[in-house]
Amino acid sequence: MIDGDFSKGIAFINGTYVPIEEARIPLLDWGFLRSDANQDTISVWKGVVFRLDDHLARFKRNIARLHMSGEFDEVARRKIVIECVRKTGFRDAYVQIIMTRGVPPAGVRDPRQCANQFYVFCVPYIWVATPEQQRQGLHLFVSGIQRVPSTSVDPTIKHYHWLDFEMGLFEAYDHGAETVVLSDAEGNVTEGPGFNIFAVIDGKLITPGQGVLDGMTRRTVFELCAETNLEYVAAPLPAHRLREAAEVFLSTTAGGLIPITRIDGRPVADGTPGPVTWRLRDLYWKKREAGWHGTPIEYDQVPSS
Ligand SMILES: Cc1ncc(COP(=O)(O)O)c(C=O)c1O
């Protein structure tokens, strides 16, 4: 291959495309040293990118809030994302676009003097749950660890402040659970490592309204509710209400809607994925496969031998 071997994935770094195994960022980039970065994660399914322009718009909003700009504008960023997918040939892919503060001049501690860096990587699609877990539902642990408060770090920026999630995951594993959700200071649940959370209570869907990322899949779930006349609300969700819900599921770019069937060792309702979850999940994938919010990739033709 002229370009390199992108069979395991690709990265766009310093204006060039490299095989994912060779992707390196400078040690002194504050994206690494200070977690001073914003990202957006985009999925590709059956050769179609989902909500590409919505992801690019969220990314643009967030880098502006972080006083970042960088060399590539939105039009260029769009082209680079498409090019990354096209070059790998992946039909089902996980793409991350990232902007970091970059490296400051030697000895400088003023973030305004860093040259912001734009990176992209594209690897085969990643699921937050195994096929078996998707069928059976996940076991969720409600951690006592507080999510970084919104007053400290804006959760609608897609940042890498994940030590709270990571420690929560260890806590979850110690309790025999598979994943975790963190709470806020008032005891309302927020979100988990890479997902928003939904509960079905009294026939209505509820998801936390504050202190969470405005997830693209969460937004998609709202649209599916509107389309199917299912009532939904974004409002505080105390942990005890989550435990008593008829159904619970998570939403994420890395897997869509995934049922949660146990919380803190106890079954959610009868301990099997519920009908609302299945219906929305089915609709989500069917509509995606029909090209909903989609940008098809024009892959190179494989030359016939
Ligand atoms: C903290 C957090 N919340 C929620 C989500 C879900 O967002 P989306 O649906 O855009 O993938 C993510 C995705 O990575 C996340 O990191």
Side-chain angles (χ1 to χ4, degrees):
M1 197 183 278
I2 303 160
D3 268 344
D5 178 2
F6 302 131
S7 57
K8 293 200 171 68
I10 195 169
F12 178 82
I13 296 185
N14 286 335
T16 54
Y17 297 91
V18 293
I20 192 72
E21 308 95 307
E22 292 168 22
R24 305 278 183 275
I25 61 161
L27 181 66
L28 299 182
D29 187 326
W30 283 4
F32 173 65
L33 292 181
R34 297 189 172 184
S35 204
D36 187 350
N38 172 65
Q39 62 108 340
D40 223 285
T41 300
I42 306 170
S43 65
V44 181
W45 191 252
K46 296 199 187 313
V48 178
V49 189
F50 191 52
R51 307 198 79 134
L52 176 58
D53 292 309
D54 294 328
H55 281 286
L56 290 167
R58 181 169 72 176
F59 186 79
K60 185 179 175 186
R61 174 198 77 188
N62 286 339
I63 57 175
R65 285 172 170 174
L66 294 177
H67 307 270
M68 290 179 180
S69 51
E71 200 181 327
F72 302 97
D73 65 12
E74 182 147 324
V75 175
R77 290 195 287 265
R78 192 178 198 282
K79 282 197 184 129
I80 295 163
V81 168
I82 290 175
E83 195 54 10
C84 278
V85 182
R86 198 190 63 76
K87 279 180 182 293
T88 62
F90 296 157
R91 267 49 181 180
D92 304 331
Y94 175 103
V95 182
Q96 220 173 86
I97 55 178
I98 304 158
M99 191 166 285
T100 63
R101 187 67 58 196
V103 178
V108 169
R109 295 178 67 82
D110 177 347
R112 292 170 302 182
Q113 295 193 42
C114 295
N116 305 156
Q117 295 298 312
F118 178 63
Y119 303 118
V120 181
F121 71 83
C122 170
V123 292
Y125 190 73
I126 294 171
W127 294 86
V128 296
T130 65
E132 178 66 8
Q133 289 170 331
Q134 291 168 46
R135 266 192 307 278
Q136 306 243 324
L138 283 163
H139 181 184
L140 177 79
F141 182 72
V142 181
S143 173
I145 298 175
Q146 230 187 79
R147 179 66 175 136
V148 177
S150 315
T151 44
S152 302
V153 179
D154 182 347
T156 65
I157 286 171
K158 206 157 158 37
H159 56 72
Y160 289 127
H161 291 66
W162 269 45
L163 276 183
D164 50 2
F165 284 145
E166 300 288 346
M167 294 306 103
L169 275 174
F170 278 100
E171 210 189 349
Y173 300 147
D174 285 347
H175 287 80
E178 291 151 327
T179 192
V180 71
V181 66
L182 306 189
S183 301
D184 63 17
E186 281 75 47
N188 298 308
V189 295
T190 60
E191 55 190 347
F195 58 82
N196 292 109
I197 194 139
F198 283 83
V200 180
I201 299 175
D202 298 331
K204 202 196 286 184
L205 214 53
I206 175 164
T207 190
Q210 301 287 322
V212 297
L213 179 74
D214 48 342
M216 209 53 78
T217 324
R218 177 178 181 266
R219 188 193 297 186
T220 307
V221 170
F222 292 161
E223 291 173 7
L224 294 177
C225 286
E227 207 176 299
T228 57
N229 292 323
L230 177 65
E231 244 187 284
Y232 68 92
V233 62
L237 179 56
H240 71 88
R241 292 200 76 208
L242 185 74
R243 291 192 187 94
E244 293 158 9
E247 297 181 37
V248 177
F249 64 85
L250 62 81
S251 71
T252 174
T253 292
L257 285 66
I258 299 187
I260 286 165
T261 47
R262 270 190 302 161
I263 298 179
D264 300 341
R266 295 205 184 84
V268 174
D270 69 359
T272 61
V276 176
T277 308
W278 277 145
R279 199 170 66 235
L280 290 171
R281 180 181 157 83
D282 255 26
L283 198 55
Y284 171 84
W285 285 110
K286 280 200 182 113
K287 285 180 73 83
R288 279 198 63 166
E289 289 181 10
W292 190 42
H293 290 310
T295 302
I297 299 288
E298 288 175 22
Y299 295 95
D300 293 341
Q301 295 302 313
V302 179
S304 50
S305 51

